[in-house]
Amino acid sequence: MTIQRNPTRGVQIGSITVGDNHPIAVQSMTATKTQNIDATVAQAEALREQGAGVVRIAVDSDKDAEALAEIRKQTTANLAVDLQENFRLAEKVAPYVDKIRYNPGHLYHHQRDKPWQDKVRFIIDQAKEHDCAIRIGVNCGSMDPAKKEKYDPADSITPMIESAREHCELVDSLDFTRYVVSLKDSDPRKVIEVNKRFAELRPDVPLHLGVTEAGMPPDGIVKTRIAFEQLIGKGIGDTVRVSLTLPNDRKPEEIDAGRSIVQDIYSGRVRSVVVFDDSSLNIISCPSCSRVENEAFIELAASVKEMTEYAKNHAITIAVMGCRVNGPGETDDADLGLWCGPAKVNLKRGTEALGAFGYDEILPKLKQELDDLIARKG
């Protein structure tokens, strides 16, 4: 299959370069607790050995940043860090990583009176000083509130594009072009549309592709394949992540899945006739990562899939999220949502909170809500 790649600029991330017609790099993220240095190093190395071009590590605190310094000494993987809400951690992590990812929608959580532009300048200053690349990571479940307010609630794509465009323009004005952009959603169709539109707007910017909360294999791989085929097949995409809900020891399967999808597309082994089914049950679940506060989340996601098999022919979306960072917001668009804490699972109906229940109590509660929803939909 002949693919004419978009003419994106090259962005160096440690020992690799993405964009500028370099091979598409496959990424993943450690699922261990960052402060468990031995386990995190072991997983970073396992991902690197499997072929990961970049390995992302979650750093949410000063103690995580201290652990990162030691992790850096023990792995040769190209490391990225996700800042999440605390933009100031950029100063503490930049000396030890090859890329920093920030989410425009998360810049509002700390120092709320400080303009977001000043926060981005701080991050870029750290990237310049410590030779880091940047990922501007826009996510459907954690959008910039100012952008969401400007558009029809039914339009989740335009705010994402506007947020990415605005941040690219600011970063460009700071004389920094060593960045990539990601625009992610749990719906493959939206991933396709938002990335196509942004690629037309900024064909020079390398794109990191992914379907967020794709869920468990094989469904999560199929959802991701649908999006990647439509985008990579048209020359859009320079690095990819397959986000799967997997136990820690199986995380390298994300790399296998990503490499396999990319190789299949370039070999013409595509399944473009597969259409995301609007008439069936859709279960989305986040990739297992170090923010998961109870590893029972993995078993719960599998149990939800098994328990809901009887509803497979109903057009209902159930989201199972593993932490409090993304869980509350990223379950809003689902018909029914679960986001998991250390001891309780929070149940939601759309944006409405229905209560928190023990891990051994949640399945019957979910089934009751699912049965009620099926009955209401007729």
Side-chain angles (χ1 to χ4, degrees):
M1 185 174 185
T2 302
I3 296 173
Q4 184 68 39
R5 296 274 295 280
N6 260 18
T8 57
R9 61 171 174 264
V11 171
Q12 183 183 351
I13 306 170
S15 65
I16 68 167
T17 299
V18 299
D20 192 27
N21 216 34
H22 283 80
I24 294 173
V26 181
Q27 306 191 23
S28 187
M29 182 177 182
T30 57
T32 52
K33 297 297 182 186
T34 302
Q35 293 174 46
N36 186 340
I37 293 170
D38 290 345
T40 304
V41 167
Q43 189 158 95
E45 282 293 283
L47 291 167
R48 181 189 64 79
E49 290 170 2
Q50 203 71 12
V54 178
V55 175
R56 184 154 58 103
I57 296 176
V59 175
D60 295 328
S61 67
D62 289 345
K63 288 186 177 181
D64 283 348
E66 291 171 8
L68 177 68
E70 185 59 37
I71 292 165
R72 173 72 285 173
K73 297 176 186 176
Q74 298 184 41
T75 178
T76 58
N78 296 316
L79 296 183
V81 152
D82 190 347
L83 293 180
Q84 290 294 339
E85 290 95 342
N86 193 349
F87 74 95
R88 292 201 60 83
L89 280 174
E91 185 175 23
K92 297 188 176 183
V93 303
Y96 309 111
V97 297
D98 304 291
K99 183 173 71 170
I100 296 171
R101 184 259 186 170
Y102 79 87
N103 181 338
H106 281 163
L107 292 178
Y108 293 84
H109 296 285
H110 282 230
Q111 299 185 17
R112 291 172 183 257
D113 294 336
K114 192 180 188 75
W116 66 264
Q117 292 90 340
D118 290 348
K119 299 175 184 179
V120 172
R121 288 188 187 95
F122 178 81
I123 295 170
I124 298 302
D125 284 345
Q126 300 306 313
K128 287 180 177 179
E129 181 177 350
H130 296 286
D131 194 28
C132 295
I134 290 286
R135 171 155 67 105
I136 301 170
V138 183
N139 194 305
C140 64
S142 49
M143 270 300 305
D144 177 341
K147 291 288 179 290
K148 287 181 72 172
E149 292 171 3
K150 286 178 59 178
Y151 298 97
D152 186 329
D155 180 6
S156 63
I157 290 177
T158 304
M160 291 176 69
I161 292 172
E162 284 300 298
S163 182
R165 179 194 59 77
E166 184 176 63
H167 278 257
C168 288
E169 289 177 356
L170 174 62
V171 174
D172 288 340
S173 76
L174 300 175
D175 195 28
F176 188 86
T177 58
R178 194 174 160 190
Y179 66 87
V180 303
V181 165
S182 64
L183 302 111
K184 295 189 178 184
D185 196 286
S186 60
D187 184 336
R189 296 162 301 183
K190 291 183 179 180
V191 172
I192 294 165
E193 182 179 350
V194 72
N195 280 279
K196 280 184 177 178
R197 286 173 55 181
F198 184 81
E200 290 176 0
L201 186 69
R202 290 295 304 262
D204 59 310
V205 176
L207 286 174
H208 168 127
L209 302 182
V211 177
T212 189
E213 294 102 37
M216 293 159 285
D219 299 9
I221 296 173
V222 171
K223 291 178 188 178
T224 304
R225 178 180 284 273
I226 291 169
F228 286 6
E229 285 182 355
Q230 306 271 345
L231 292 167
I232 294 173
K234 294 177 176 62
I236 298 169
D238 301 281
T239 180
V240 300
R241 162 92 190 278
V242 181
S243 299
L244 299 175
T245 307
L246 291 166
N248 279 1
D249 60 348
R250 293 177 57 192
K251 289 301 284 183
E253 290 181 27
E254 290 190 343
I255 304 301
D256 293 338
R259 294 173 70 184
S260 176
I261 292 170
V262 172
Q263 289 168 2
D264 282 352
I265 294 169
Y266 272 88
S267 299
R269 297 188 296 268
V270 296
R271 306 175 190 174
S272 296
V273 295
V274 178
V275 177
F276 194 63
D277 192 348
D278 290 322
S279 64
S280 65
L281 181 71
N282 179 31
I283 297 177
I284 64 175
S285 60
C286 62
S288 41
C289 79
S290 64
R291 294 191 184 92
V292 171
E293 296 179 288
N294 189 328
E295 290 186 7
F297 152 72
I298 306 292
E299 296 177 7
L300 177 62
S303 296
V304 168
K305 182 178 180 181
E306 181 180 354
M307 185 274 287
T308 58
E309 177 67 18
Y310 73 96
K312 64 182 180 181
N313 294 323
H314 294 272
I316 292 170
T317 296
I318 299 174
V320 188
M321 300 292 125
C323 78
R324 69 186 72 207
V325 174
N326 294 318
E330 296 188 7
T331 48
D332 281 352
D333 293 333
D335 295 294
L336 298 171
L338 309 177
W339 66 269
C340 302
K344 298 286 185 179
V345 180
N346 299 272
L347 177 61
K348 293 173 62 181
R349 184 191 304 126
T351 59
E352 180 186 357
L354 302 177
F357 306 93
Y359 280 79
D360 58 347
E361 302 173 304
I362 191 63
L363 284 178
K365 299 290 185 182
L366 176 64
K367 185 177 186 306
Q368 180 181 335
E369 287 298 321
L370 179 57
D371 288 344
D372 290 346
L373 185 56
I374 291 171
R376 287 198 301 272
K377 291 193 170 195

